[in-house]
Amino acid sequence: MPTFDVSSELDMQEVRNAVDQAAREIHSRYDFKNTGSEVALGEGVITLRSSNEDRLAAARQVLEEKLVRRKVSLKGVTYGPVADAAGGTVRQEAALAAGISADKARELNKFIKNLGMKGVSSQTQGGQLRVSGKKRDMLQEVIAALKEADFAIPLQFGNFRD
């Protein structure tokens, strides 16, 4: 039976490059002088710091521009609340998506089932979803339907086998 996998991953090398470019731009731009603004990449999280919320929003915009330019989906970045930090500064963390959560997997399974295609089934395998069907054309229709729907996570389709 033909199958394919649905996954949700970010290219961490591109994320690292985008964060480095954003940090360089923030360091050199005149409107960020003496604001203490910085962007740092941690383990699965990007941390933004600045002297006030306006500069933090500007730093976030610079980061998003660099991510988009590097073709990293903004759906894979979830921003947390703006929090006060030491020395009268503000901080915000952005979590990076890795894998499909159990709730999203259920939502995707339900969506595929509601398409009403006979012979198409899906099952969760770790952080991925395996979709199998009787015909290759049916699986291509499922891929097209998944691309049209918005699940608030970046989706990649791979491992297509006949």
Side-chain angles (χ1 to χ4, degrees):
M1 281 177 66
T3 63
F4 72 90
D5 293 335
V6 180
S7 60
S8 178
E9 297 293 327
L10 293 176
D11 185 355
M12 289 308 292
Q13 183 62 45
E14 292 297 333
V15 170
R16 188 174 303 115
N17 290 339
V19 169
D20 287 345
Q21 285 180 345
R24 251 184 271 126
E25 183 171 330
I26 287 170
H27 182 70
S28 65
R29 268 181 41 179
Y30 180 75
D31 56 338
F32 285 108
K33 292 279 187 210
N34 300 323
T35 61
S37 299
E38 65 178 41
V39 179
L41 178 64
E43 190 65 37
V45 67
I46 299 171
T47 305
L48 298 150
R49 288 188 181 89
S50 191
S51 60
N52 58 38
E53 288 191 37
D54 292 337
R55 290 292 93 209
L56 187 71
R60 179 177 167 174
Q61 183 177 0
V62 168
L63 174 65
E64 288 177 353
E65 287 173 2
K66 300 303 179 189
L67 288 169
V68 168
R69 188 169 292 152
R70 291 237 163 231
K71 294 181 177 48
V72 176
S73 176
L74 294 180
K75 291 180 182 179
V77 181
T78 308
Y79 292 96
V82 176
D84 291 330
T89 62
V90 291
R91 176 180 63 225
Q92 185 175 29
E93 292 187 345
L96 301 173
I100 298 175
S101 67
D103 294 337
K104 285 291 181 188
R106 272 195 292 287
E107 184 180 339
L108 287 166
N109 279 328
K110 187 176 180 183
F111 178 81
I112 292 169
K113 188 171 262 186
N114 287 341
L115 289 175
M117 295 183 177
K118 277 195 164 186
V120 175
S121 64
S122 60
Q123 60 191 29
T124 306
Q125 294 181 339
Q128 300 185 26
L129 200 67
R130 167 84 34 103
V131 182
S132 58
K134 291 182 179 177
K135 295 183 181 175
R136 181 182 201 156
D137 294 341
M138 296 174 111
L139 293 182
Q140 289 172 339
E141 289 177 33
V142 171
I143 290 174
L146 287 171
K147 283 182 178 179
E148 286 180 24
D150 183 25
F151 294 102
I153 59 172
L155 295 177
Q156 290 89 32
F157 308 97
N159 205 13
F160 198 103
R161 300 197 178 173
D162 252 340

